[in-house]
Amino acid sequence: MVGGFDKLKVEFIDQDESVQVVADTIRSSGEIPERYARPEMEADPVIIDTDGYNLPVIDMSRLINPEFSEEEIAKLGSACEDWGFFQLVNHGVDGELLQRIKDDITEFFRLPLQEKMSVAIPPNGLQGFGHHFVFSKEQKLDWVDLLFLTTRPVEDRTTEFWPTKPPTFRDSLDKYSLEIANVSAKLFKFMAINLGVDEEALLAAFKPEQPQSVRINHYPPCSQANKVLGLSPHTDGVGMTLLLQVNDVQGLQIRKDGRWFAVKNLPGALVVNVGDVLEILTNGKYKSIEHRAVINPDKERITLAAFQSVPLSSTVGPLQELLMKGEARYKTVDGAEFTKGYFAAKLEGRRYLESLKLGV
């Protein structure tokens, strides 16, 4: 999924049902609608609920401090190679801004459905409030309502989908998107150092626009949480994702060595993961890991995922500097082809990424 993807023609089924409304109905009926029932959740024996388990932790203040930078860059590289995920602390995003964006998002999802539908995703659209990846009337649906917006570059924003309630929402998201763009630029710089490639060579893949979009997720509680799934197992078709927990309810799980690990978010940290594009650019050195979201039986969960992408006009393939050290492991495709392939895979794990691998 690259910047400008909303300009591509993507065929989705119109799905105007709110999961929050479904959740409210279940409280009285007690029955999960068939489209949301996920029998694999009850049958999956490999869930590991590791109490207190944490992802690798990377400290931005140590990355930028010459005294500790070398050691922290090595930790960053190991996290990207071994896990594809890490928690970023001391990231430098203003604390007051973080609280403001959290408050605004929470207030938006508490609005009456009619008001949220004023920014509804149009037929075959991607931006706005509603659902994604609905390709047929028969497919299983995720237990989530979302708000998806293009945030950068500024001139690519479609502000008709940016909520005006609460009144501070637009300003908060504008400022937050800039802060996250700056954080990701720093991370790409340190990743380039770890990879032993020219910083500009890595950043060039994301220029000139350095596209960014956000997916704001609202997962209503479900009394039969073991029968539904908040977000199907998938990888992110972007360069990098930075996830902010809007409230303190956990639900992120990642697949490693065939087992699911529950992630316990550190207070104030951003959860960062390698996307498909970065795995390809690094020729497989960094890993884009399958992950999913599960539901809490009693409490809503709200998250804000910011996706740092590459332009639609870009070429997605292994960096030439890395190919000097070995054969290419992935095909090189243009941004439009990559995006169409990602959507065609219908959010099914690593299926599309694996299809781009070469037999080396």
Side-chain angles (χ1 to χ4, degrees), residues 6 12 16 33 75-76 86 104 110 131 138 157 163 181 187 210 232 237 273 332 336 343:
D6 51 326
F12 292 130
D16 57 5
K75 285 179 59 180
L76 173 65
F86 58 88
D104 285 343
R110 287 178 178 167
H131 297 257
E138 292 74 35
R157 294 176 180 174
L187 288 174
Q210 299 185 37
S232 298
N273 66 278
T332 295
F343 279 114

Side-chain angles (χ1 to χ4, degrees), residues 63-264:
L63 284 173
I64 62 179
N65 186 329
E67 184 178 352
F68 305 108
S69 184
E70 183 176 353
E71 178 184 350
E72 203 67 15
I73 289 173
K75 285 179 59 180
L76 173 65
S78 295
C80 293
E81 292 176 34
D82 298 337
W83 284 97
F85 270 81
F86 58 88
Q87 301 207 52
L88 184 67
V89 299
N90 296 321
H91 41 68
V93 181
D94 180 70
E96 290 186 7
L97 174 60
L98 287 177
Q99 191 57 55
R100 190 158 67 247
I101 190 68
K102 289 179 180 181
D103 291 344
D104 285 343
I105 289 171
T106 301
E107 189 173 340
F108 170 78
F109 282 112
R110 287 178 178 167
L111 291 173
L113 178 59
Q114 185 176 357
E115 293 194 46
K116 288 181 287 193
M117 291 301 291
S118 68
V119 292
I121 300 173
N124 292 326
L126 286 169
Q127 294 196 68
F129 170 79
H131 297 257
H132 275 177
F133 294 96
V134 182
F135 292 89
S136 75
K137 295 288 188 182
E138 292 74 35
Q139 79 178 75
K140 295 295 186 178
L141 297 178
D142 290 336
W143 193 262
V144 61
D145 290 325
L146 65 89
L147 177 65
F148 188 88
L149 300 168
T150 294
T151 44
R152 311 198 77 82
V154 174
E155 56 268 24
D156 281 1
R157 294 176 180 174
T158 308
T159 53
E160 65 188 87
F161 296 114
W162 285 53
T164 56
K165 292 183 180 180
T168 53
F169 184 98
R170 291 185 173 188
D171 181 65
S172 298
L173 183 57
D174 174 58
K175 289 182 170 62
Y176 180 77
S177 72
L178 177 59
E179 291 277 342
I180 290 300
N182 291 335
V183 170
S184 64
K186 292 176 184 176
L187 288 174
F188 281 133
K189 170 187 173 181
F190 294 120
M191 287 174 178
I193 294 172
N194 172 255
L195 292 164
V197 301
D198 181 70
E199 177 186 341
E200 284 305 313
L202 180 59
L203 291 177
F206 300 90
K207 290 181 177 179
E209 298 96 340
Q210 299 185 37
Q212 181 196 79
S213 56
V214 298
R215 174 177 162 139
I216 307 172
N217 305 292
H218 178 253
Y219 304 99
C222 179
S223 58
Q224 302 178 61
N226 64 329
K227 295 182 179 179
V228 298
L229 191 54
L231 193 55
S232 298
H234 68 287
T235 57
D236 294 341
V238 297
M240 181 193 301
T241 303
L242 299 94
L243 181 75
L244 175 69
Q245 284 279 130
V246 174
N247 61 5
D248 60 359
V249 179
Q250 309 294 326
L252 174 64
Q253 296 182 347
I254 65 174
R255 190 195 290 274
K256 182 174 170 59
D257 301 326
R259 300 179 296 175
W260 287 105
F261 287 87
V263 174
K264 187 173 183 180

Side-chain angles (χ1 to χ4, degrees), residues 3-17:
F5 53 85
D6 51 326
K7 299 182 178 71
L8 294 174
K9 184 174 178 58
V10 183
E11 297 291 341
F12 292 130
I13 300 296
D14 188 24
Q15 173 67 25
D16 57 5
E17 182 178 64

Side-chain angles (χ1 to χ4, degrees), residues 49-68:
D49 185 11
T50 50
D51 188 30
Y53 169 77
N54 283 309
L55 292 174
V57 178
I58 303 300
D59 188 333
M60 180 67 85
S61 68
R62 289 175 63 88
L63 284 173
I64 62 179
N65 186 329
E67 184 178 352
F68 305 108

Side-chain angles (χ1 to χ4, degrees), residues 13-34:
I13 300 296
D14 188 24
Q15 173 67 25
D16 57 5
E17 182 178 64
S18 166
V19 175
Q20 180 62 66
V21 173
V22 176
D24 292 341
T25 302
I26 289 174
R27 290 193 186 99
S28 57
S29 70
E31 293 186 13
I32 303 290
E34 182 61 29

